[in-house]
Amino acid sequence: KAGVTQTPRYLIKTRGQQVTLSCSPISGHRSVSWYQQTPGQGLQFLFEYFSETQRNKGNFPGRFSGRQFSNSRSEMNVSTLELGDSALYLCASSFVAEPGYGYTFGSGTRLTVV
Amino acid sequence: KQEVTQIPAALSVPEGENLVLNCSFTDSAIYNLQWFRQDPGKGLTSLLLIQSSQREQTSGRLNASLDKSSGRSTLYIAASQPGDSATYLCAVSSQGGSEKLVFGKGTKLTVNP
């Protein structure tokens, strides 16, 4: 059974550019959440999608956005990149968006902004 | 707002030792608590999921307990091995707030041969 797949694994971008990250959840999982991990702030929730609808959003600026497709694959986009956006971006999938179900995480995308 | 704290931030033990990692949370209104392991530069591997109605879960050499009323969870690792070296994170799914999972900062465990 394939796990959560995130692409690309590594990215280097220049300040001011935009970037798109992709996440394919476990087959049958319909909830996809995104997290940002930095050494200073730890893991912080970005947003969650279920059935192509954003269900929850964390405390991040509007430069961070996402979407989910009908096959449950999700993308997140960061526009006008800043140096502080350098982080490990992790995607997690769950069977449903209801509490009580555990989350399975992907290996992450390491974004470096120079 | 839910806050999760993990103590200690780092722990170094000799191989074979039994050890306990601690996690505390401020709001006891949780759905569940999940322990994860993270190797350097990698994603998170789920270790144990404890529902709010449960007191503990076991998997191999790992045992996690949950005391919801006091806002505490412990992860017990028996007979530690060098391969257990990693950062261990606990996360809670809260009944209030919009965040799906609130994480602690983790405990970095080093098991010395």
Side-chain angles (χ1 to χ4, degrees), chain B:
Chain B
K1 179 186 172 185
Q2 179 74 268
E3 293 182 0
V4 179
T5 303
Q6 291 187 247
I7 295 174
L11 181 64
S12 181
V13 300
E15 182 177 3
E17 191 162 298
N18 301 326
L19 58 100
V20 173
L21 307 181
N22 297 293
C23 171
S24 62
F25 45 95
T26 55
D27 186 350
S28 62
I30 65 170
Y31 290 113
N32 56 51
L33 183 145
Q34 200 164 354
W35 281 93
F36 295 91
R37 166 187 172 137
Q38 185 174 33
D39 293 289
K42 301 291 179 63
L44 306 183
T45 299
S46 180
L47 298 173
L48 290 164
L49 170 68
I50 311 177
Q51 302 293 348
S52 62
S53 59
Q54 297 175 319
R55 293 300 297 259
E56 66 178 324
Q57 280 286 339
T58 298
S59 176
R61 294 183 294 109
L62 305 179
N63 175 278
S65 67
L66 174 64
D67 184 342
K68 198 174 70 165
S69 61
S70 68
R72 294 177 186 274
S73 176
T74 61
L75 179 66
Y76 174 83
I77 303 177
S80 59
Q81 304 169 358
D84 294 331
S85 297
T87 295
Y88 290 81
L89 295 145
C90 78
V92 298
S93 175
S94 294
Q95 296 182 13
S98 63
E99 298 193 26
K100 300 308 293 181
L101 287 176
V102 179
F103 283 86
K105 293 288 180 70
T107 294
K108 184 176 181 180
L109 173 66
T110 302
V111 181
N112 301 299

